[in-house]
Amino acid sequence: MSAHSHVDGKLPHEPEKATLEGRNKVLGFWLFLGAETVLFGTLFSAFLALRHQVGDGNPSSQELFELSTTAWATFILLTSSLTSVFAIQAMHTNKVKSMIIWLVVTVLLGLGFLALEVVEFATYVDEGHKFSTSAFSSSFYTLVGFHGAHVLFGVLWISILIAQIFKKGLTVVTAPKIYVAGIYWHFIDVVWVFIFTVVYLMGKVG
Amino acid sequence: MSAEHSAVEEREKHHKHEGPKKHIIAFIFSILLTIIAFAMVAAGEINTTFIYIFLVLMAAIQVFVQMGFWMHMKDRGHAFPIIGILMGVFVVFTIVIMAEYWAWW
Amino acid sequence: MAHAHKVKRYSGLMDWLTTVDHKKIGILYLIAGGFFFLVGGLEALLIRIQLWKPLNDFVAAHTYNELLTMHGTTMIFLAAMPIIFALMNAIVPLQIGARDVAFPFVNAIGFWTFFAGGVLLNVSWFAGGAPDAGWTSYAPLATNTFSGGHGVDYYVIGLQIAGIGTLVGGINFLATIINMRAPGMSFMRMPMFTWTAFITSALILFAFPALTVGLVAMMFDRLFGGNFFEPTNGGNAVLWEHIFWIFGHPEVYILILPAFGVISEVISTFSRKRLFGYSSMVFATVLIGFLGFMVWAHHMFTTGLGPVANALFSIATMLIAVPTGIKIFNWLFTMWGGSIKFTTANLFAIGFVPTFVMGGVTGVMLAAAPADFQYHDSYFVVAHFHYVIVGGLILGLFSGLYYWWPKMFGRVLHEGLGKLCFWTFFIGFHLTFFVQHFLGLMGMPRRVWTYLDGQGFNNLNMISTVGAFLMGVGTIVFLLNVVITSFKPRNATNDPWEDGRTLEWSIPSPAPEYNFAQTPLVRGYDAFWKEKMEGKKEMLPAEPLGSIHMPSPSILPLIMAVGLFISGLGFMYGKGDYGDGFKAFLFNNHIVAIIGLAITLACMFLRSVIDDHGFHIEPDEITGDKGVKA
């Protein structure tokens, strides 16, 4: 039952599920994502309820949003999701080096996404779309900002995990952490799919 | 516990080294759906209700594909993750209906 | 298993601050929840003193608003839920034959963040005024326009911190029940209390995030100039009502379901019969949990959502009466023909049944939307929800505490004092709240600090106040019982009620650190009873005696909670409370808040990089204990 009971030099095919601790971690994290679903869902619903409350003289969503920026952000995040899958696949075949490389690529893409978002927000603020401008702006920044904060947390988290892999190697203790971080990263991507659809594309339509 | 262990072993035997091919296909599919959605909006001049439904449908399909392949939800042993996410989606569904119909009514 | 990691094991106070043992965390929850229960009870008594005669001026109107807000908030979030978690922590792992919970460390985080949030909320009393916008904190009353000062800030931030604790606690129990059951303990063999703990945890999982979002939005409105609920800038005050009740209604079931579980266990044990209709009981629990998410707008009938919405929510609400009715009949049929023992625990359980039915009936009355227009915001509603929460949940919790006290502390509570506690509390409860139905029907509005003479309210209010004091006496008798019992020798047997049916009664009282020396093999529902019926005194072991791996204690959960506490205060006082100077610099730039968050994140970092190897309890150490065979 202990964290070490299954280690005998060779890692099993799915090291994240080799121990009860690992299985608990994966299951508990999935349950947490169920809660995150409701968290983002509620943020989405607040945004949906308030997105037309722009106020007089403030820039509307059609005027603000640039489809090209959103497209780039989407492309970057989607690609990072793919690279994190490659990392998990490398982990399953016990290729530690290629796993680390894919994780580093994932982190770099995440940073790229964040940079785009910061620039985007700065532009909006210049155009008079501040957090306190209108109900639309408050709900917009809260929803997209919550997602951005999740990306930032993911970037920091995966970076720490990369450092741990260097120090401790891939074991039945570190493998569930990597797996769970991978699931988290996909979830962020899934949320973004709805953000670009509901916030940006539907905002562009009107 | 022992039943679970044998299930794990069985899984190991069945698909030992699944290649990156499926994931790359899922990626291309996601990109395609995204491009279609963006193109619809860029084209403009389409019925608003229709385009809303269309966009949400594109997003739903994409998310379905990503969760199935990248988050391994199609694999065995994911009953509780699926229940958890579905229940979350159900709650979100009611909240979104609230926001659309009963926040301003 | 040649890992010779030396783990520091603390004793005394440090043991309690660093513990990750679910049984000790359960006791911590009980102490903290019990403390807040007394605080909330004191607030209730002050409310009742103010209302004992017309035009009383015992407290000022503003103080009354604070009292009623803090009474509701404290009782729901800081008293009822923690005591539920106390029982869940103490009992659920034992009932499923587990050595530990799935995430012992996270469990400790759950307790300490709840406690930090609770303390933060109550600090408001000494920091210029408690929250005063009602436990629902409706916008626009709770926005800056109508609630300046920091009262509501304490509400939104304190509840966010406490909410984190509750959420992770819920995840912990879900994972524990799914993954950690003993061999043979299938879902349909789980004791009823474990089932209700499972569904309650699921409701926590899906309801609390909605509250968090509502609180965050309210916090942004109040602290950073957001416009979610600010109508002048396009915000929507009704949106808060929706979000609050989308959380708030499932919360009601989060509270009551564990009480249902306790009652099922107690009635079955003291009737010496298998629980009648176990599978229908499970089905009803799941159904109540599911329907609980589709009825929130019945709190908002008078908001004006229109006839279609009102009709839908009205019907959905009435539907919930069906599974609840199934449960009531199951309890009655369990008692039917049983050889009933009227212990204190069973008195509370039997008292629960008719009391809860009364609360349920007024619930169906309120569910009829047109009638609700008459009842709304009157004392009828107050009577209704106190019948389900006090008459339902609190009676259930008392029942559970008397029942499991020996398993938690190794001492049986005194039965004579217990019965005195039951009768004073029970009679006091009905005196307090039964008359409030009529006060409501006569038109007395809730949440108003006084009333005029000559409206026929005087006598009924007087009766209600007397009843409230009787409940206070009952609570004091309970505390006396606890104190007196704690001086008695720790001599409870494994199965002090002699009719224990579930696994927790097969191990010593109190349970040893590792719960089960050998994981038991479960061969049916009411696992221990089944063995007893076959003439055995113990469970069959599912494994040989071996060394047991235990998680190491940690101070990090406490420090994480302290970090959140500091951060909460930092955000709150960033509104320019301090003119200039160093203090203003620290708070207005959110430096204090960021330091607090940094403390919490640093703890998360440490937890991630430092491997927890835990320690092992060896077989010779186990066999040295009493009552465990080799």
Side-chain angles (χ1 to χ4, degrees):
Chain A
M1 239 21 72
S2 87
H4 313 283
S5 54
H6 293 276
V7 194
D8 45 7
K10 194 170 141 287
L11 273 182
H13 168 59
E14 287 180 322
E16 75 275 6
K17 291 174 189 151
T19 63
L20 178 61
E21 278 85 351
R23 287 195 296 276
N24 280 345
K25 197 168 271 184
V26 173
L27 173 69
F29 198 80
W30 270 109
L31 296 169
F32 172 70
L33 289 186
E36 288 267 87
T37 307
V38 178
L39 184 99
F40 277 105
T42 316
L43 287 168
F44 269 108
S45 79
F47 176 79
L48 281 170
L50 301 175
R51 70 192 188 103
H52 295 301
Q53 307 300 313
V54 181
D56 293 335
N58 301 320
S60 68
S61 54
Q62 279 110 321
E63 292 157 11
L64 281 171
F65 298 156
E66 291 289 342
L67 280 189
S68 58
T69 319
T70 313
W72 274 111
T74 306
F75 182 70
I76 291 174
L77 209 59
L78 267 177
T79 311
S80 80
S81 212
L82 182 69
T83 57
S84 72
V85 170
F86 288 159
I88 301 297
Q89 280 205 315
M91 180 182 90
H92 281 166
T93 48
N94 210 353
K95 291 177 190 144
V96 181
K97 208 173 152 198
S98 96
M99 178 185 88
I100 290 177
I101 292 170
W102 285 121
L103 286 178
V104 170
V105 173
T106 307
V107 166
L108 291 177
L109 288 169
L111 285 173
F113 175 87
L114 281 176
L116 264 185
E117 190 152 88
V118 169
V119 172
E120 183 199 337
F121 280 8
T123 321
Y124 291 163
V125 171
D126 277 348
E127 291 171 31
H129 183 66
K130 299 194 185 71
F131 181 77
S132 54
T133 304
S134 62
F136 162 61
S137 74
S138 298
S139 59
F140 167 81
Y141 281 115
T142 308
L143 170 58
V144 183
F146 249 74
H147 177 266
H150 274 74
V151 176
L152 178 64
F153 186 83
V155 164
L156 293 174
W157 183 15
I158 297 176
S159 307
I160 292 169
L161 290 185
I162 293 170
Q164 282 191 53
I165 296 294
F166 268 116
K167 228 181 117 203
K168 300 172 191 165
L170 186 64
T171 66
V172 288
V173 179
T174 48
K177 298 185 185 186
I178 302 282
Y179 185 82
V180 157
I183 298 274
Y184 175 81
W185 196 258
H186 294 308
F187 183 78
I188 291 177
D189 183 44
V190 162
V191 172
W192 178 256
V193 169
F194 281 109
I195 289 187
F196 84 67
T197 303
V198 172
V199 177
Y200 291 98
L201 292 184
M202 280 165 68
K204 203 69 190 170
V205 173
Chain B
M1 248 25 52
S2 60
E4 274 174 55
H5 274 301
S6 63
V8 170
E9 279 158 27
E10 202 177 299
R11 233 175 306 163
E12 280 179 41
K13 266 182 230 146
H14 273 284
H15 53 146
K16 245 224 149 103
H17 300 300
E18 80 176 11
K21 212 171 121 193
K22 267 193 276 181
H23 296 305
I24 292 174
I25 292 172
F27 177 72
I28 293 169
F29 199 63
S30 295
I31 292 285
L32 274 179
L33 288 169
T34 308
I35 290 173
I36 293 171
F38 272 83
M40 285 287 277
V41 175
E45 303 297 321
I46 306 174
N47 178 298
T48 315
T49 318
F50 171 74
I51 202 166
Y52 280 176
I53 295 170
F54 185 82
L55 288 175
V56 172
L57 198 71
M58 291 292 111
I61 296 172
Q62 178 168 172
V63 163
F64 199 75
V65 170
Q66 290 188 9
M67 290 188 115
F69 285 88
W70 291 353
M71 293 171 88
H72 310 282
M73 277 173 95
K74 65 174 179 50
D75 294 356
R76 285 177 46 184
H78 279 73
F80 284 103
I82 290 171
I83 293 171
I85 297 292
L86 279 184
M87 191 63 204
V89 169
F90 165 75
V91 175
V92 169
F93 197 69
T94 61
I95 302 178
V96 167
I97 287 179
M98 171 279 283
E100 284 291 293
Y101 293 101
W102 293 318
W104 298 96
W105 75 93
Chain C
M1 211 68 55
H3 292 276
H5 301 289
K6 262 278 163 261
V7 170
K8 186 157 170 50
R9 297 180 72 178
Y10 302 96
S11 61
L13 181 66
M14 266 313 268
D15 177 33
W16 289 96
L17 297 183
T18 60
T19 186
V20 291
D21 178 354
H22 65 92
K23 296 170 290 293
K24 285 187 178 156
I25 291 173
I27 292 173
L28 287 175
Y29 265 118
L30 181 62
I31 295 170
F35 169 73
F36 286 123
F37 181 75
L38 296 181
V39 173
L42 191 67
E43 283 152 6
L45 286 181
L46 295 177
I47 290 173
R48 276 323 314 171
I49 294 173
Q50 164 63 22
L51 293 175
W52 79 279
K53 66 173 189 186
L55 291 173
N56 198 1
D57 57 357
F58 175 69
V59 293
H62 179 250
T63 314
Y64 184 86
N65 289 346
E66 294 176 335
L67 283 174
L68 78 89
T69 302
M70 285 302 282
H71 167 69
T73 313
T74 304
M75 283 304 197
I76 300 264
F77 292 101
L78 311 180
M81 298 208 48
I83 299 177
I84 289 169
F85 266 108
L87 287 181
M88 277 162 58
N89 265 295
I91 301 305
V92 166
L94 305 184
Q95 282 197 330
I96 59 173
R99 290 250 167 75
D100 206 338
V101 291
F103 309 112
F105 181 85
V106 172
N107 201 13
I109 295 177
F111 170 74
W112 288 112
T113 43
F114 136 69
F115 190 62
V119 172
L120 186 66
L121 252 177
N122 279 285
V123 162
S124 61
W125 285 112
F126 312 102
D132 56 356
W135 89 280
T136 53
S137 276
Y138 270 12
L141 177 60
T143 60
N144 277 334
T145 323
F146 299 99
S147 292
H150 285 297
V152 180
D153 293 338
Y154 277 99
Y155 172 92
V156 292
I157 292 175
L159 285 190
Q160 273 180 68
I161 296 174
I164 295 170
T166 311
L167 180 71
V168 297
I171 292 175
N172 178 32
F173 278 99
L174 285 170
T176 304
I177 294 171
I178 293 172
N179 265 4
M180 311 274 285
R181 282 165 291 129
M185 177 62 81
S186 62
F187 270 100
M188 289 313 278
R189 285 177 181 175
M190 286 193 327
M192 209 51 223
F193 180 66
T194 300
W195 254 112
T196 54
F198 185 62
I199 300 298
T200 279
S201 304
L203 294 184
I204 287 173
L205 185 70
F206 298 113
F208 266 76
L211 174 70
T212 304
V213 170
L215 292 172
V216 165
M218 181 72 87
M219 181 177 88
F220 284 178
D221 274 14
R222 293 184 56 85
L223 300 182
F224 306 119
N227 304 301
F228 283 93
F229 311 119
E230 200 71 66
T232 43
N233 280 330
N236 182 336
V238 177
L239 187 64
W240 166 266
E241 291 186 31
H242 277 296
I243 293 177
F244 185 85
W245 286 116
I246 282 170
F247 147 78
H249 199 79
E251 168 72 12
V252 179
Y253 295 109
I254 290 169
L255 294 176
I256 198 63
L257 287 179
F260 287 170
V262 172
I263 301 302
S264 305
E265 302 282 329
V266 170
I267 285 188
S268 157
T269 301
F270 293 113
S271 304
R272 310 194 76 212
K273 271 182 69 190
R274 188 186 202 270
L275 182 66
F276 186 91
Y278 168 77
S279 38
S280 70
M281 216 60 156
V282 171
F283 170 74
T285 309
V286 176
L287 194 62
I288 291 173
F290 190 71
L291 288 175
F293 281 102
M294 293 189 275
V295 297
W296 78 86
H298 70 213
H299 298 269
M300 300 165 62
F301 281 149
T302 57
T303 305
L305 300 180
V308 176
N310 278 5
L312 275 174
F313 282 103
S314 189
I315 292 164
T317 306
M318 290 180 190
L319 265 182
I320 293 192
V322 176
T324 316
I326 292 175
K327 281 177 171 284
I328 300 286
F329 283 110
N330 280 339
W331 290 320
L332 294 179
F333 287 135
T334 306
M335 285 189 267
W336 182 270
S339 51
I340 302 177
K341 271 201 243 169
F342 289 96
T343 57
T344 309
N346 203 24
L347 281 178
F348 273 107
I350 292 170
F352 165 97
V353 176
T355 312
F356 189 77
V357 169
M358 290 171 71
V361 168
T362 50
V364 178
M365 289 170 74
L366 287 162
D372 182 71
F373 276 70
Q374 302 302 313
Y375 308 135
H376 190 84
D377 254 348
S378 78
Y379 262 82
F380 190 82
V381 178
V382 177
H384 159 70
F385 67 70
H386 281 95
Y387 260 80
V388 287
I389 293 182
V390 184
L393 173 65
I394 301 298
L395 291 187
L397 287 179
F398 268 123
S399 175
L401 286 174
Y402 277 99
Y403 181 57
W404 280 308
W405 199 268
K407 196 48 72 185
M408 291 175 78
F409 297 99
R411 297 178 178 91
V412 184
L413 284 172
H414 189 269
E415 276 292 301
L417 281 174
K419 281 172 185 162
L420 181 65
C421 163
F422 168 73
W423 286 112
T424 43
F425 194 87
F426 189 73
I427 294 171
F429 164 75
H430 281 282
L431 272 185
T432 313
F433 295 108
F434 189 72
V435 294
Q436 291 186 1
H437 291 114
F438 302 104
L439 279 172
L441 294 176
M442 288 157 70
M444 181 166 165
R446 64 190 279 209
R447 292 181 172 137
V448 177
W449 75 299
T450 191
Y451 51 93
L452 290 174
D453 198 4
Q455 302 191 91
F457 296 164
N458 301 10
N459 291 341
L460 294 179
N461 270 304
M462 173 69 98
I463 293 171
S464 190
T465 301
V466 171
F469 275 92
L470 209 51
M471 287 167 82
V473 171
T475 310
I476 290 170
V477 173
F478 177 76
L479 292 178
L480 268 179
N481 199 346
V482 170
V483 172
I484 292 171
T485 307
S486 68
F487 287 111
K488 298 260 172 67
R490 198 181 256 212
N491 59 359
T493 57
N494 290 10
D495 185 10
W497 308 113
E498 291 165 7
D499 297 322
R501 312 177 74 82
T502 41
L503 284 179
E504 74 268 30
W505 305 112
S506 69
I507 55 171
S509 310
E513 203 180 352
Y514 44 81
N515 297 354
F516 295 87
Q518 289 162 289
T519 303
L521 180 68
V522 175
R523 301 194 299 142
Y525 175 66
D526 278 345
F528 187 41
W529 185 259
K530 190 174 167 66
E531 302 296 333
K532 283 201 268 190
M533 286 301 103
E534 295 179 10
K536 301 188 189 96
K537 293 216 157 52
E538 282 165 338
M539 295 300 297
L540 284 174
E543 56 171 18
L545 199 62
S547 86
I548 296 169
H549 180 249
M550 304 293 292
S552 24
S554 170
I555 192 75
L556 290 179
L558 172 61
I559 300 177
M560 283 173 84
V562 171
L564 288 175
F565 185 91
I566 294 171
S567 166
L569 281 178
F571 277 120
M572 222 180 291
Y573 288 92
K575 284 202 278 195
D577 292 74
Y578 307 104
D580 346 75
F582 188 56
K583 227 169 161 185
F585 169 74
L586 280 184
F587 278 94
N588 292 350
N589 295 313
H590 299 300
I591 293 174
V592 177
I594 290 165
I595 290 174
L597 281 182
I599 293 173
T600 306
L601 287 172
C603 291
M604 289 169 77
F605 172 76
L606 288 177
R607 174 64 183 173
S608 178
V609 295
I610 302 173
D611 282 340
D612 174 17
H613 295 291
F615 59 94
H616 288 89
I617 297 179
E618 300 304 331
D620 50 340
E621 220 177 315
I622 298 167
T623 45
D625 272 298
K626 59 160 183 168
V628 181
K629 67 160 187 186

